[in-house]
Each structure stands twice: as C-alpha cells, then as structure tokens.
Amino acid sequence: MAKGFGSEDAAQDEIEGAVNDAVRRAQDALPHGESLTHCEDCDSVIPEGRRKALPGVRLCVECQQAHDHARTHPSAYNRRGSKDSQLR
C-alpha cells in the first residue's frame, strides 16, 4: 500500500509543533518580575488587586487590552476546509 510523500506521523508532528510554538509565545507574553504601581504607557495607577493577581504586571487594563489587540496574529493553520476542497 502506498504511503504518499510523508510519514504517517508527519501531520501529527506538524500539529504538535504548532501547538508548542503557540504555548511558547503565550508563556513569553506573561508578565514576570515585580509589578509596577503605575502603567508604563499612560502612567495611570494600577490597582493593587491587579498587581496581586498578575505578578509582574506593567500595564493598566485599558493599555493591556490595546497591546493585546495589536499583538494578535492570524493563525497559519487553514481551518476553512479539507485538503480536497482546497484542490478544487
């Protein structure tokens, strides 16, 4: 029986690689170190509850939301259809 061009585990390896990359990016984005009392961007006070909940926080909620929105990357994985639908 013909196996095609890749190994049987190639698709699973590619998926695991994409998941591992996403996990590393998420871990790198987590704050670390000592929390600031004032936002790096707008200098507004960061509430004590936020500083305790997120050790190493550097931005207020509004600036963090804007920062997160600017950092969103589209996924490289095509979720719109199967390989057969792409070939047509």
Side-chain angles (χ1 to χ4, degrees):
M1 181 176 204
K3 288 189 176 185
F5 293 102
S7 70
E8 293 177 9
D9 296 327
Q12 185 63 32
D13 292 342
E14 187 173 338
I15 292 168
E16 287 177 6
V19 169
N20 290 337
D21 289 343
V23 168
R24 262 186 250 110
R25 280 194 307 273
Q27 288 172 335
D28 290 342
L30 291 174
H32 53 282
E34 191 171 332
S35 295
L36 299 179
T37 57
H38 290 79
C39 179
E40 278 185 343
D41 288 354
C42 70
D43 204 36
S44 66
V45 176
I46 299 173
E48 184 180 352
R50 178 168 170 77
R51 293 192 313 257
K52 286 182 178 179
L54 294 168
V57 70
R58 309 189 76 68
L59 301 173
C60 67
V61 173
E62 293 81 16
C63 292
Q64 185 66 56
Q65 287 174 339
H67 186 263
D68 291 345
H69 183 70
R71 286 189 61 216
T72 57
H73 300 283
S75 175
Y77 183 73
N78 182 2
R79 292 180 171 84
R80 293 189 179 178
S82 67
K83 180 179 174 185
D84 293 335
S85 67
Q86 295 172 19
L87 295 174
R88 292 184 193 157

